[in-house]
Every structure is written in structure tokens, then in C-alpha cells.
């Protein structure tokens, strides 16, 4: 069956009717689909009979000086990807369809939304959680799939589902990388050849950190690589590198037991990149 495109709520209801009975998985995206998104769709297939992909560049999660207007929009190509992957419905609402002009109420991401990535992007996680809750309410899937690439986003969505009793199962998906280690991202297309070389320092720093197990040494190893990258041309402009608890995103010290997450964010040229890797205890 061809993929059904739903642009508004009424289309979505009809599309779900056409799909018929059986479990439904939602893969929320901002479009500009790549192999990472494909891997989420394939994982969704293991959890449900039907798959819905949402394509919506959510204005609420972008800060005033961020790249909302220049975020890549490749809708026709996205539809082809979805058709190839056997997606049943693509929900692609306009901003006017999603948000009332006099919108008042949104989800608060709490203190966890103000640390690490949230400290660099004030309001970002409130915007993410608000749109994700709305998408879950509109699509009403049994399962929703999110990438570990955006680790704090995934952790915050799990918190929202627990804190607000949202009736959905959240599935996390591993990060898909280029053969040289660069994590796939819709924003990678902005990188020039030289910028891309600098951008590789992110995954290289994570690999250096992951070769250690004691938290202070993990961080020191990652920081050494990132420091070297600030001297490249073009330089890496480090935003943060932290070793955190994967559930709370609080920093961990050498007394920490169990898994930790090494998270990094940096700019190369005008492009902001994030990445992370789990650090397993010895
Ligand atoms: P985005 O379109 O960037 O908002 O991403 C949509 C979903 O794809 C999110 O759940 C992301 O975490 C996930 N995603 C983005 N990049 C990757 C990747 N390289 N590997 C796996 N999942 C990814």
C-alpha cells in the first residue's frame, strides 16, 4: 500500500482508519531523513504492525538565534524514504495546524530541562516535550521510537511519560554513524569538507573517553581530544563535555556506580553538533 500523507487532524483520523486494526508505532522526526531515521523506522517495524512517521520542524524548540528558518526541508525525498521503508502514514502538519494562535499551556521540562543541553538551549526541552505530547495525543500510537543520539531528549521523554502517565511505550534506538564515526545528523549536510574533518573530533573524543572507565579519566581523555580540536582549521568551538547519569543527567564523579553517559556538544562553523556514548562500568 502507498504511504498516506496526512496534513491535518482530519486527514490523520482518515489515514488511521484506512490502515485498519493492529498496533501502531510513531517515529517523530523533523524531516531531512537519513539512515538514522531509517533505522528508527525499521526498529518501529519490530514493535508494531503499522508505522506512522511525523515530519514537523517544531518552531517551539528553536531559540531565537538558532537555525529554525534554515533547517533543511526535503519533504519529497522524505516521502520516498517512508515509501521505501513501508511506512503507512506520514503526518506532516503545518505550524498553524499544530499550534493555536492563542496557545497558553505547554509541558514544563522541570529542572532536568535546564541542565546540560538545556543550559545551552533555554526552553528547548519545554518545546520538545510539548510537541511530542501533542503528537502522541494526535496519533495515539502504542509505541514511539526515539534515537539515543539525542540522549537527553530520550531521557526527558521517558520522564514525561512516567510523570504524566502517558499511555505509550517508549523505545530507544542506537545511534547510526558514518564509517569514520561521525554521527548522522540532518545538519551534517551544512559541513564543508574541512568542517567535517573537524567535526570528527566529537566521536573521536567519545571513543577516547570510552577507552577509560574511571569517571575523572574518561572526562580527561575526552577533553584532551577536544582541546586539540580547538586548534584545527576551522576550529572546534566546544559548548560542553560532561559525564552524566543517563537517567537524571546529573554529573557523576569517581564514586559513581553503574553506567554513565559521556555527552558532548560543539559548533563547527555555523553548525551545532551533539553526540554521546555510554560508559560501561568495569
Ligand atoms: P530529528 O529529525 O533530528 O529531530 O530526529 C528524529 C529522530 O531521529 C530523533 O529521535 C533522533 O534522536 C533520531 N536520530 C537522529 N539522528 C540519528 C542517528 N544518527 N541515529 C539514530 N537516530 C537518530
Amino acid at each position: 500500500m502507498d504511504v498516506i500523507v496526512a496534513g491535518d487532524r482530519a486527514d490523520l483520523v482518515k489515514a488511521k482508519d484506512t490502515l485498519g486494526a493492529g498496533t501502531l508505532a510513531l517515529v517523530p522526526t523533523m524531516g531531512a531523513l537519513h539512515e538514522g531515521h531509517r533505522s528508527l523506522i525499521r526498529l518501529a517495524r519490530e514493535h508494531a504492525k503499522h508505522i506512522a512517521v511525523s515530519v514537523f520542524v517544531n518552531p517551539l524548540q528553536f531559540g531565537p538565534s538558532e537555525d529554525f528558518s534554515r533547517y533543511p526541508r526535503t519533504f519529497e525525498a522524505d516521502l520516498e524514504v517512508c515509501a521505501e521503508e513501508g511506512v503507512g502514514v506520514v503526518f506532516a502538519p503545518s505550524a498553524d495546524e499544530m499550534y493555536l494562535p492563542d496557545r497558553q499551556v505547554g509541558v514544563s521540562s522541570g529542572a532536568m530541562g535546564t541542565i546540560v543541553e538545556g543550559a545551552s538551549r533555554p526552553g528547548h526541552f519545554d518545546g520538545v516535550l510539548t510537541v511530542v505530547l501533542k503528537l502522541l495525543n494526535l496519533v495515539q500510537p502504542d509505541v514511539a521510537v526515539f534515537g539515543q543520539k539525542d540522549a537527553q531528549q530520550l531521557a526527558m521523554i521517558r520522564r514525561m511519560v512516567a510523570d504524566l502517565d502517558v499511555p505509550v511505550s517508549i523505545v530507544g534506538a542506537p545511534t547510526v554513524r558514518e564509517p569514520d564515526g561521525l554521527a548522522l545528523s540532518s545538519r551534517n549536510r551544512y559541513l564543508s569538507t574541512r568542517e567535517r574533518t573537524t567535526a570528527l573530533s566529537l566521536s573521536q573524543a567519545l571513543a577516547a573517553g570510552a577507552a577509560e572507565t574511571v569517571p575523572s579519566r574518561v572526562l580527561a581523555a575526552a577533553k584532551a581530544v577536544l582541546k586539540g580540536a580547538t586548534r584545527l582549521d576551522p576550529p572546534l568551538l566546544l559548548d560542553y563535555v560532561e559525564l552524566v547519569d543517563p537517567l537524571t543527567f546529573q554529573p557523576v564523579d569517581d564514586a559513581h556506580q553503574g553506567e554513565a553517559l559521556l555527552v558532548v556538544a560543539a559548533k563547527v562553523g555555523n553548525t551545532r553538533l551533539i553526540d554521546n556514548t555510554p560508559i560501561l562500568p568495569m
Side-chain angles (χ1 to χ4, degrees):
M1 199 167 74
D2 282 348
V3 48
I4 307 169
V5 179
D8 59 27
R9 290 164 162 76
D11 286 353
L12 183 61
V13 170
K14 267 190 267 166
K16 283 189 62 175
D17 242 31
T18 309
L19 289 184
T23 50
L24 177 65
L26 172 65
V27 181
T29 81
M30 297 204 297
L33 302 184
H34 50 64
E35 280 299 320
H37 298 111
R38 278 189 198 260
S39 77
L40 265 54
I41 295 170
R42 289 175 194 157
L43 186 59
R45 158 109 30 252
E46 293 175 25
H47 290 269
K49 180 172 178 204
H50 305 294
I51 302 171
V53 169
S54 60
V55 174
F56 180 61
V57 185
N58 174 32
L60 237 56
Q61 71 189 69
F62 287 80
S65 59
E66 293 181 4
D67 59 350
F68 173 71
S69 54
R70 71 171 202 128
Y71 195 84
R73 289 160 171 90
T74 61
F75 191 59
E76 290 308 315
D78 294 346
L79 281 185
E80 260 172 52
V81 169
C82 289
E84 281 168 23
E85 297 297 335
V87 170
V89 51
V90 171
F91 180 48
S94 65
D96 289 346
E97 178 67 19
M98 283 301 274
Y99 297 116
L100 296 170
D102 60 347
R103 189 183 74 81
Q104 299 285 319
V105 176
V107 179
S108 162
S109 54
M112 191 177 160
T114 66
I115 57 174
V116 195
E117 183 73 359
S120 293
R121 304 185 69 186
H124 172 67
F125 287 116
D126 289 3
V128 168
L129 295 184
T130 299
V131 80
V132 168
L133 186 60
K134 283 170 70 74
L135 289 168
L136 293 172
N137 285 337
L138 289 166
V139 178
Q140 298 184 16
D142 302 283
V143 176
V145 183
F146 296 88
Q148 181 65 32
K149 161 79 166 42
D150 298 280
Q152 193 172 358
Q153 168 174 288
L154 173 58
M156 295 238 51
I157 289 166
R158 289 192 194 281
R159 271 254 57 102
M160 175 176 76
V161 165
D163 286 343
L164 302 183
D165 296 300
V166 185
V168 69
S169 299
I170 301 299
V171 171
T175 300
V176 177
R177 298 176 180 281
E178 302 279 9
D180 60 9
L182 184 70
L184 296 193
S185 162
S186 302
R187 292 183 169 101
N188 288 355
R189 71 191 65 206
Y190 296 133
L191 298 171
S192 67
T193 311
R194 289 160 70 109
E195 287 174 339
R196 196 188 173 290
T197 304
T198 299
L200 272 181
S201 325
L202 266 75
S203 54
Q204 286 164 350
L206 296 179
E212 304 285 343
T213 49
V214 178
S216 52
R217 294 175 66 147
V218 170
L219 259 183
K223 281 180 179 169
V225 174
L226 294 166
K227 190 167 178 204
T230 63
R231 292 189 286 263
L232 295 176
D233 178 24
L236 187 90
L237 306 166
L238 182 64
D239 184 350
Y240 60 78
V241 56
E242 290 192 48
L243 189 65
V244 298
D245 180 295
L247 294 180
T248 63
F249 274 69
Q250 291 293 334
V252 302
D253 60 20
D254 285 355
H256 180 73
Q257 305 272 320
E259 194 177 316
L261 203 61
L262 181 58
V263 291
V264 63
K267 260 188 147 182
V268 182
N270 288 322
T271 307
R272 188 170 183 279
L273 301 167
I274 61 171
D275 202 351
N276 68 87
T277 192
I279 304 293
L280 303 172
M282 280 270 269

